[in-house]
């Protein structure tokens, strides 16, 4: 049976919404400041954050299992969008930044490969 996840957004004002996950945690969403918003993530920013966090959780878990001494880790997501509506992503680049003591570059490469091919089903979680 498929695992169900629930989420909803509740309108606040203008184009501002509160996103609420099934866990009860919340996140603020809004349009960009140039369009009168700026009080929360834009939906497209949040999509990039979601993608980056999914693969980051996979990669750090794999590196821990491989007993790599990681002391710092981040995933930077950069998306290019079309100029015309619908303003979809045409390209997304992920940059993995790993710091640590004696971390094996091949272990990092393999962890990223596993995340991208086996465990990140959306790209996403």
């Amino acid at each position: 049976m498929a695992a169900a996840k629930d989420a909803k957004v509740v309108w606040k004002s203008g184009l501002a919404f509160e996103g609420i996950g099934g866990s009860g945690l919340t996140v603020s969403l809004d349009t960009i400041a140039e369009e009168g918003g700026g009080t929360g993530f834009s939906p497209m920013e949040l999509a990039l954050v979601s993608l980056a966090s999914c693969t980051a959780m996979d990669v750090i878990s794999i590196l821990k299992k491989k007993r790599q001494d990681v002391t710092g880790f981040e995933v930077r997501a950069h998306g290019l969008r079309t100029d015309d509506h619908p303003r979809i992503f045409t390209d997304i680049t992920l940059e993995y930044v790993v710091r640590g003591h004696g971390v094996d570059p091949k272990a990092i490469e393999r962890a990223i490969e596993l995340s991208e091919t086996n465990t990140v089903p959306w790209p996403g979680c």
Side-chain angles (χ1 to χ4, degrees):
M1 179 179 205
K5 294 283 184 184
D6 295 305
K8 67 179 178 179
V9 294
V10 177
W11 179 59
K12 296 300 181 185
S13 67
L15 292 177
F17 287 81
E18 178 179 45
I20 306 165
S23 63
L25 296 174
T26 64
V27 63
S28 296
L29 297 120
D30 201 353
T31 189
I32 59 175
E34 293 82 12
E35 294 175 2
T39 64
F41 286 102
S42 75
M44 297 305 271
E45 285 176 321
L46 197 55
L48 291 175
V49 169
S50 293
L51 173 60
S53 64
C54 282
T55 188
M57 288 180 190
D58 283 341
V59 170
I60 197 66
S61 295
I62 293 165
L63 291 174
K64 285 181 178 182
K65 287 178 187 173
K66 291 179 175 277
R67 292 181 168 70
Q68 298 297 301
D69 187 11
V70 176
T71 59
F73 177 52
E74 63 184 74
V75 177
R76 300 172 184 162
H78 177 75
L80 295 176
R81 296 174 62 193
T82 58
D83 290 331
D84 298 319
H85 288 282
R87 299 212 43 227
I88 62 171
F89 284 118
T90 57
D91 185 66
I92 296 175
T93 303
L94 298 176
E95 177 185 2
Y96 297 82
V97 181
V98 180
R99 291 176 298 285
H101 305 287
V103 179
D104 182 0
K106 290 195 184 302
I108 297 169
E109 289 173 17
R110 181 65 177 145
I112 293 168
E113 177 186 359
L114 286 170
S115 179
E116 290 178 348
T117 60
N118 296 330
T119 58
V120 177
W122 77 300
C125 267

